[in-house]
Amino acid sequence: MSSALLIEDLVKRFATGKPAVDGVSFDVPAGEIVVLLGPSGCGKTTTLRCVAGLEHPTGGRISIGDRIVSEPERGVLVSPRERDIGMVFQSYAVWPHMTVYQNVAYPLKYRRSSGGGDIAAKVRDTLELVGLGDYAQRSVTSLSGGQMQRVALARSLVYRPQLLLLDEPLSNLDAKLRIRLRDELRRILKQTGMTGLYVTHDQSEAVVLGDRIGVMREGKLLQMAPPDEIYNRPADPFVANFTGASNVLLGKVLARSGDKATIDLGAAGRIEAWTPQPLSPGDKARVALRAENVRLGERGPANAFSGRITERRYQGMQTVYDVEFGGQRVEVLELGTAARHTTDGEIALTLPPDQCWAYRDEGQASVD
Ligand code: ATP
């Protein structure tokens, strides 16, 4: 599959501070949606703005289709208007003095590359696609936020750009609408076969919308992979922590063979874990683990311990337990409306080896 977007070693430095984007490389094959995910300030918006041409990169190369649109080393910089991209932002960028129809028809009238054809039919089809078929003659100012965002989306889709850039398009909507539009956005983008680069700090959006997710931190791309890989095989302790593996056990590497490591947890004993890193015996290690992956009240074939529940927090749909074992402490999440365990006595717990991820302890994995 050809790349609709190729980013090679992109660097963007503003006048002060560390580079906002620091050697980022990835590609987006035609028809795929890539989501850049990361905390505020990690450089995801700057990356997107460099692709749009709204920011001038300091180094590296950006190609859209077969065309290099930015390569500062060779003095190449194609203007945003000539990049054949569509953009949807957080703010609903619609023209308030126009109707829904006029807003969506506008780019077809003013773009050279819109391919001609019947403007009315294209606008009608696109409004149907985004669920606004009955709203063509309405003034956009009479619409809700969600509907305005649909207009903005329709306006970016109607001329079928090579690439659609979306920067936190759902973040001004209330929680319920946000979820609905998120799910619908996936359908719309897939139905049109659109290639998309989507920026968000919201994990659920990233997982639902992304064919692949790129997790960024401090200007660097830490991992680019399909959502299930990001969640089950985080390549980096920050990725594990950012996507919710909040338990951390500290220890020392005893042995490693391929992607399996044995970690000494001191008084608690040893634990088997998966590792993406070439750990060596003696290295300080941190083992990350999701609260929902701990099996409480079960003694599995490996990584079984005996512990004590020190606190139980019933939350209606789930219960959270603090469990101590051998000087270590983990939080355990049990789904369901019935809390099965009490704080009395000893309890078995199993930390499945496949769901324990070991990394070199560099003391920097916290999101906070
Ligand atoms: P957010 O979700 O808050 O927008 P982000 O991950 O998209 O965050 P960027 O907006 O790309 O992050 O910012 C990355 C870094 O670059 C930040 O440290 C930010 O302060 C800095 N930065 C962004 N734009 C500028 C600018 N115009 N001038 C100077 N520094 C900037």
Side-chain angles (χ1 to χ4, degrees), residues 76-104:
V76 178
L77 187 67
V78 173
S79 77
R81 293 173 60 89
E82 289 170 48
R83 291 192 181 197
D84 194 19
I85 49 174
M87 278 186 268
V88 184
F89 299 104
Q90 183 174 340
S91 55
Y92 325 121
V94 291
W95 286 291
H97 57 287
M98 292 185 189
T99 63
V100 169
Y101 179 94
Q102 288 166 336
N103 260 281
V104 178

Short mmCIF file of all heavy atoms in Angstrom, two decimals, residues 76-104:
data_model
loop_
_atom_site.label_atom_id
_atom_site.label_comp_id
_atom_site.label_asym_id
_atom_site.label_seq_id
_atom_site.Cartn_x
_atom_site.Cartn_y
_atom_site.Cartn_z
N VAL A 76 12.55 23.42 0.50
CA VAL A 76 11.22 23.09 -0.02
C VAL A 76 10.16 23.40 1.03
O VAL A 76 10.27 22.96 2.18
CB VAL A 76 11.11 21.58 -0.40
CG1 VAL A 76 9.71 21.24 -0.90
CG2 VAL A 76 12.17 21.20 -1.41
N LEU A 77 9.16 24.18 0.66
CA LEU A 77 8.04 24.44 1.57
C LEU A 77 6.81 24.79 0.73
O LEU A 77 6.69 25.89 0.20
CB LEU A 77 8.36 25.59 2.53
CG LEU A 77 7.33 25.82 3.62
CD1 LEU A 77 7.27 24.64 4.60
CD2 LEU A 77 7.63 27.09 4.40
N VAL A 78 5.91 23.81 0.60
CA VAL A 78 4.69 24.02 -0.19
C VAL A 78 3.65 24.68 0.71
O VAL A 78 3.51 24.30 1.88
CB VAL A 78 4.17 22.65 -0.72
CG1 VAL A 78 2.82 22.79 -1.40
CG2 VAL A 78 5.20 22.02 -1.65
N SER A 79 2.92 25.66 0.18
CA SER A 79 1.96 26.39 1.02
C SER A 79 0.78 25.49 1.39
O SER A 79 0.46 24.54 0.66
CB SER A 79 1.46 27.63 0.27
OG SER A 79 0.51 27.22 -0.69
N PRO A 80 0.10 25.79 2.51
CA PRO A 80 -1.03 24.96 2.95
C PRO A 80 -2.07 24.77 1.85
O PRO A 80 -2.60 23.69 1.67
CB PRO A 80 -1.61 25.74 4.13
CG PRO A 80 -0.50 26.59 4.62
CD PRO A 80 0.37 26.89 3.44
N ARG A 81 -2.36 25.82 1.11
CA ARG A 81 -3.41 25.77 0.08
C ARG A 81 -3.10 24.76 -1.02
O ARG A 81 -4.00 24.25 -1.67
CB ARG A 81 -3.55 27.14 -0.60
CG ARG A 81 -4.07 28.23 0.29
CD ARG A 81 -3.99 29.56 -0.44
NE ARG A 81 -4.78 29.53 -1.66
CZ ARG A 81 -6.06 29.85 -1.71
NH1 ARG A 81 -6.66 30.26 -0.63
NH2 ARG A 81 -6.73 29.79 -2.84
N GLU A 82 -1.80 24.51 -1.21
CA GLU A 82 -1.43 23.62 -2.31
C GLU A 82 -1.14 22.19 -1.86
O GLU A 82 -0.55 21.41 -2.59
CB GLU A 82 -0.22 24.20 -3.05
CG GLU A 82 -0.58 25.44 -3.84
CD GLU A 82 0.65 26.13 -4.37
OE1 GLU A 82 1.52 25.45 -4.93
OE2 GLU A 82 0.74 27.36 -4.18
N ARG A 83 -1.54 21.87 -0.61
CA ARG A 83 -1.19 20.54 -0.10
C ARG A 83 -2.29 19.50 -0.27
O ARG A 83 -2.14 18.36 0.13
CB ARG A 83 -0.79 20.64 1.37
CG ARG A 83 0.53 21.35 1.55
CD ARG A 83 1.10 21.23 2.94
NE ARG A 83 2.35 21.98 3.01
CZ ARG A 83 3.26 21.85 3.94
NH1 ARG A 83 3.08 21.00 4.93
NH2 ARG A 83 4.36 22.56 3.91
N ASP A 84 -3.44 19.87 -0.77
CA ASP A 84 -4.57 18.95 -0.95
C ASP A 84 -4.95 18.22 0.34
O ASP A 84 -5.00 17.00 0.41
CB ASP A 84 -4.28 17.93 -2.06
CG ASP A 84 -5.56 17.20 -2.49
OD1 ASP A 84 -6.66 17.74 -2.21
OD2 ASP A 84 -5.47 16.11 -3.06
N ILE A 85 -5.16 19.02 1.36
CA ILE A 85 -5.54 18.46 2.66
C ILE A 85 -6.86 19.07 3.11
O ILE A 85 -7.23 20.16 2.67
CB ILE A 85 -4.48 18.74 3.75
CG1 ILE A 85 -4.12 20.23 3.72
CG2 ILE A 85 -3.27 17.87 3.60
CD1 ILE A 85 -3.21 20.66 4.81
N GLY A 86 -7.57 18.37 3.98
CA GLY A 86 -8.73 18.92 4.66
C GLY A 86 -8.39 19.03 6.13
O GLY A 86 -7.57 18.26 6.64
N MET A 87 -9.00 20.00 6.80
CA MET A 87 -8.68 20.18 8.23
C MET A 87 -9.94 20.38 9.05
O MET A 87 -10.83 21.12 8.65
CB MET A 87 -7.79 21.39 8.41
CG MET A 87 -6.34 21.10 8.15
SD MET A 87 -5.31 22.51 8.57
CE MET A 87 -5.26 23.32 7.00
N VAL A 88 -9.99 19.72 10.20
CA VAL A 88 -11.08 19.92 11.15
C VAL A 88 -10.44 20.20 12.50
O VAL A 88 -9.59 19.45 12.96
CB VAL A 88 -12.00 18.68 11.25
CG1 VAL A 88 -13.18 18.96 12.17
CG2 VAL A 88 -12.49 18.26 9.88
N PHE A 89 -10.87 21.31 13.11
CA PHE A 89 -10.26 21.73 14.37
C PHE A 89 -11.24 21.60 15.53
O PHE A 89 -12.43 21.35 15.34
CB PHE A 89 -9.82 23.20 14.29
CG PHE A 89 -8.78 23.45 13.24
CD1 PHE A 89 -9.13 24.05 12.05
CD2 PHE A 89 -7.47 23.08 13.45
CE1 PHE A 89 -8.19 24.28 11.07
CE2 PHE A 89 -6.51 23.30 12.48
CZ PHE A 89 -6.87 23.91 11.28
N GLN A 90 -10.72 21.86 16.70
CA GLN A 90 -11.53 21.85 17.93
C GLN A 90 -12.66 22.88 17.85
O GLN A 90 -13.80 22.59 18.18
CB GLN A 90 -10.58 22.18 19.08
CG GLN A 90 -11.20 22.13 20.43
CD GLN A 90 -10.14 22.33 21.50
OE1 GLN A 90 -8.95 22.12 21.26
NE2 GLN A 90 -10.55 22.70 22.67
N SER A 91 -12.31 24.09 17.40
CA SER A 91 -13.34 25.12 17.25
C SER A 91 -14.08 24.84 15.96
O SER A 91 -13.47 24.46 14.96
CB SER A 91 -12.69 26.49 17.17
OG SER A 91 -11.74 26.48 16.14
N TYR A 92 -15.39 25.00 15.96
CA TYR A 92 -16.16 24.68 14.76
C TYR A 92 -15.93 25.79 13.74
O TYR A 92 -16.57 26.83 13.80
CB TYR A 92 -17.65 24.58 15.07
CG TYR A 92 -17.95 24.00 16.42
CD1 TYR A 92 -18.66 24.72 17.37
CD2 TYR A 92 -17.50 22.73 16.75
CE1 TYR A 92 -18.92 24.18 18.61
CE2 TYR A 92 -17.75 22.18 17.99
CZ TYR A 92 -18.46 22.91 18.92
OH TYR A 92 -18.70 22.39 20.14
N ALA A 93 -15.02 25.55 12.82
CA ALA A 93 -14.68 26.61 11.87
C ALA A 93 -15.70 26.64 10.74
O ALA A 93 -15.48 26.11 9.66
CB ALA A 93 -13.27 26.38 11.33
N VAL A 94 -16.86 27.23 11.02
CA VAL A 94 -17.90 27.35 9.98
C VAL A 94 -18.18 28.83 9.76
O VAL A 94 -17.90 29.66 10.63
CB VAL A 94 -19.21 26.63 10.40
CG1 VAL A 94 -19.00 25.12 10.43
CG2 VAL A 94 -19.71 27.12 11.75
N TRP A 95 -18.72 29.15 8.61
CA TRP A 95 -19.03 30.55 8.33
C TRP A 95 -20.44 30.87 8.83
O TRP A 95 -21.42 30.33 8.32
CB TRP A 95 -18.92 30.85 6.85
CG TRP A 95 -17.48 30.92 6.43
CD1 TRP A 95 -16.58 31.88 6.78
CD2 TRP A 95 -16.78 30.00 5.63
NE1 TRP A 95 -15.35 31.61 6.24
CE2 TRP A 95 -15.45 30.45 5.52
CE3 TRP A 95 -17.13 28.81 4.98
CZ2 TRP A 95 -14.47 29.78 4.81
CZ3 TRP A 95 -16.16 28.15 4.26
CH2 TRP A 95 -14.86 28.63 4.17
N PRO A 96 -20.55 31.74 9.82
CA PRO A 96 -21.84 31.95 10.48
C PRO A 96 -22.90 32.61 9.60
O PRO A 96 -24.08 32.41 9.83
CB PRO A 96 -21.48 32.84 11.67
CG PRO A 96 -20.17 33.44 11.36
CD PRO A 96 -19.46 32.50 10.42
N HIS A 97 -22.46 33.37 8.59
CA HIS A 97 -23.45 34.07 7.78
C HIS A 97 -24.01 33.20 6.65
O HIS A 97 -24.81 33.65 5.86
CB HIS A 97 -22.83 35.35 7.20
CG HIS A 97 -21.60 35.07 6.41
ND1 HIS A 97 -20.40 34.72 7.00
CD2 HIS A 97 -21.38 35.06 5.08
CE1 HIS A 97 -19.49 34.51 6.06
NE2 HIS A 97 -20.07 34.72 4.88
N MET A 98 -23.56 31.95 6.58
CA MET A 98 -24.02 31.08 5.48
C MET A 98 -24.90 29.95 6.00
O MET A 98 -24.84 29.58 7.16
CB MET A 98 -22.81 30.42 4.80
CG MET A 98 -21.92 31.36 4.06
SD MET A 98 -20.65 30.36 3.22
CE MET A 98 -19.58 31.65 2.64
N THR A 99 -25.67 29.37 5.08
CA THR A 99 -26.45 28.17 5.44
C THR A 99 -25.51 26.97 5.48
O THR A 99 -24.34 27.05 5.07
CB THR A 99 -27.52 27.87 4.37
OG1 THR A 99 -26.84 27.59 3.14
CG2 THR A 99 -28.48 29.03 4.19
N VAL A 100 -26.06 25.86 5.94
CA VAL A 100 -25.30 24.61 5.96
C VAL A 100 -24.84 24.28 4.54
O VAL A 100 -23.66 23.98 4.30
CB VAL A 100 -26.18 23.48 6.55
CG1 VAL A 100 -25.54 22.11 6.33
CG2 VAL A 100 -26.47 23.73 8.03
N TYR A 101 -25.78 24.36 3.60
CA TYR A 101 -25.45 24.04 2.21
C TYR A 101 -24.31 24.92 1.69
O TYR A 101 -23.33 24.43 1.12
CB TYR A 101 -26.70 24.22 1.31
CG TYR A 101 -26.41 23.93 -0.13
CD1 TYR A 101 -26.64 22.67 -0.66
CD2 TYR A 101 -25.87 24.92 -0.97
CE1 TYR A 101 -26.34 22.40 -1.99
CE2 TYR A 101 -25.57 24.65 -2.29
CZ TYR A 101 -25.81 23.39 -2.80
OH TYR A 101 -25.50 23.11 -4.11
N GLN A 102 -24.43 26.23 1.94
CA GLN A 102 -23.42 27.15 1.42
C GLN A 102 -22.05 26.88 2.04
O GLN A 102 -21.02 26.97 1.36
CB GLN A 102 -23.84 28.60 1.69
CG GLN A 102 -25.00 29.04 0.82
CD GLN A 102 -25.65 30.32 1.30
OE1 GLN A 102 -25.57 30.67 2.49
NE2 GLN A 102 -26.30 31.03 0.39
N ASN A 103 -22.04 26.54 3.31
CA ASN A 103 -20.78 26.23 3.97
C ASN A 103 -20.08 25.05 3.28
O ASN A 103 -18.89 25.09 3.04
CB ASN A 103 -21.02 25.86 5.45
CG ASN A 103 -20.73 27.01 6.38
OD1 ASN A 103 -19.57 27.28 6.69
ND2 ASN A 103 -21.77 27.71 6.80
N VAL A 104 -20.87 24.03 2.99
CA VAL A 104 -20.27 22.80 2.44
C VAL A 104 -19.92 22.98 0.96
O VAL A 104 -18.95 22.40 0.46
CB VAL A 104 -21.21 21.59 2.69
CG1 VAL A 104 -20.64 20.32 2.09
CG2 VAL A 104 -21.44 21.41 4.20
#
